[in-house]
Amino acid sequence: MEIRDNGQIYLEGVSVEELASAYGTPLYVYEENRIRANYRRALSAFRKYYPDTRFFYAIKANNNLAVANILRQEGAGIDAASVNEILLAKELGLGGEDVMFSGNFLSDDDIKQGLESGVIFNLDDLSLLPRVLKHGVPEMLSFRVNPGYGQCDIGAFVCNAGPDAKFGVHPDKVLDAYRAAKEAGVKRFGAHMMPGSSIRDPEYFGYVTGLLMDLIGRAGRELGIDFEFIDLGGGLGIPYKHEDSVLDIDAAAANVAKIFKEKIAEYGLKPPRLMMEPARYFVGDAGYIIGRVHTVKDSYSRIIGTDVGMNILARPALYGAYHHIYVNGREQEERMPLNLCGQLCENTDLWVRDRMLPKGTTEGDLIVVENGGAYGYAMSYQYNGRLRCGEALVNGTQHNLIRRAETFQDLIGLMNVPEYLKRN
Ligand code: LLP
């Protein structure tokens, strides 16, 4: 993003005015070159310290196939949370060992379809093993381990491990899980964890790696099994507030690789591939939401009404998450504390309170919401009959619509009114 001398905001080489007039608002926009730069920065940091590193992209954060194709071109595999995400990976031409299925609390249908798809199966609990074995013995199997500790920069909301989390094999059951899999005839093994999201402390990554490696190392040594890969999950954070520190990715990679190698040696493991499956770090800061101010209301305080509500960006209402907002053409102007909301009939839709925004913000202005690339569109919904918006991709001065906005037909197309209800 760039604010040019005339105050106009550009995403790569395209002004937000041009994007809004081409595709309407609200609109998600992604900067292709930023996604590529983020991916390359992270991969080169990890490969510098541990050359056999591979990234899978957790497609849940942003499932637009254009975005996912950028990461596929860069060499990423896909981390899928559901059967439909496995099918999205297939649309990218990815399957087999380029895709990892890390679903949780799976139904029998999920298990069956997941196995039939032939991707790497990552089991969230030992209790799933007998249900998997009903369909035959997979050649390769991984378990998602709860290493007993998790962390998150957005309160406890996205802490995915430790005693309060619903995810992963309990630390005391890890050995039993791999033993049962080995006894069932599984030949190839992997291991996985996903202890937290949005973390900017490089120490954390080394710490949780140590926790996982101790659990996996003991299992490997005791059972005489090797791990082809150990997947450390996602979690690489980005700054949402401008005063937040930037994750030192080189330090994170160095910490991880140091402990990874130490534990490999300590437990006598055959060196596995180091895998990670970040999402936010690749796409989060490459995405923006362009919105339009429709109403300015002076009530108990001033409220700026826009078309970006919690239906378009759920994170602030759901987690109290902060997203920086720019007002196109007014960034140099005097500021005052303002509130900003969307158009939903819920007060959590007033998602910006007392923020220092340009005083002159008025009807017709465009706002630009930062860090919308991850868990933005993917978590949007149709409440109040508001429709999901479009998505565009910019690359230099080129732009393309990569998902059209929904229409009323999309809203009613899935519904069916039984004949008897149509009569008086
Ligand atoms: N792998 C697994 C198994 C995951 O569940 C996730 C995210 C990731 C990888 C990617 O994590 P990341 O690198 O993005 O931290 N909706 C929340 C985030 C939920 C994270 C869910 N799992 C938010 O808006 O902040």
Side-chain angles (χ1 to χ4, degrees), residues 50 213 230 257 259-272:
Y50 197 85
M213 293 302 282
I230 296 185
I259 194 93
F260 201 73
K261 287 189 265 191
E262 277 170 17
K263 296 291 176 187
I264 288 170
E266 181 181 337
Y267 292 101
L269 299 176
K270 191 167 147 221

Side-chain angles (χ1 to χ4, degrees), residues 350-362:
L350 209 170
W351 58 277
V352 177
R353 288 182 188 269
D354 289 332
R355 179 93 57 95
M356 292 303 280
L357 289 170
K359 204 172 170 176
T361 302
T362 191

Side-chain angles (χ1 to χ4, degrees), residues 21 56 70 97 115 123 146 186 189 211 215 232 255 268 271 273 315 319 331 347 349 376 380 386 394 398-399 402 409:
S21 73
F56 280 25
I70 297 169
E97 294 183 15
L115 287 167
L123 291 188
N146 180 341
V186 175
F189 297 93
L211 295 179
L215 293 166
L232 307 175
N255 291 340
R273 166 168 287 181
R315 302 185 73 255
Y319 311 126
E331 282 301 300
N347 220 37
D349 193 44
S380 65
R386 295 281 169 193
V394 290
Q398 275 183 47
H399 54 87
I402 56 171
Q409 198 48 45

Side-chain angles (χ1 to χ4, degrees), residues 109-155:
D109 270 353
D110 293 329
I111 292 176
K112 185 164 175 287
Q113 291 174 53
L115 287 167
E116 280 167 6
S117 73
V119 303
I120 303 173
F121 224 94
N122 185 36
L123 291 188
D124 188 58
D125 193 35
L126 173 53
S127 63
L128 278 102
L129 186 62
R131 294 168 59 205
V132 166
L133 294 174
K134 272 196 251 163
H135 302 274
V137 182
E139 191 199 325
M140 185 196 266
L141 201 61
S142 170
F143 284 100
R144 174 175 182 160
V145 171
N146 180 341
Y149 173 81
Q151 196 178 308
C152 173
D153 274 9
I154 3 177

Side-chain angles (χ1 to χ4, degrees), residues 198-213:
S198 195
I199 296 149
R200 291 171 290 109
D201 171 13
E203 300 296 322
Y204 156 88
F205 293 97
Y207 177 67
V208 288
T209 300
L211 295 179
L212 176 70
M213 293 302 282

Side-chain angles (χ1 to χ4, degrees), residues 64 135 149 198 225 300 370 372 401 406 412:
N64 192 296
H135 302 274
Y149 173 81
S198 195
I225 58 177
Y300 289 90
E370 205 173 45
L401 189 67
E406 289 177 341
I412 60 163

Side-chain angles (χ1 to χ4, degrees), residues 240-253:
Y240 281 90
K241 293 191 173 147
H242 284 187
E243 64 268 29
D244 285 347
S245 62
V246 175
L247 168 67
D248 182 341
I249 191 78
D250 192 83

Side-chain angles (χ1 to χ4, degrees), residues 58 60 79 144 154 158 160 192 194 197-198 234-235 277-280 315 319 375 379:
K60 70 190 65 144
D79 165 60
R144 174 175 182 160
I154 3 177
V158 194
N160 292 337
H192 171 276
M194 171 59 200
S197 192
S198 195
E277 46 193 35
R280 192 187 315 265
R315 302 185 73 255
Y319 311 126
Y375 312 106
M379 290 169 62

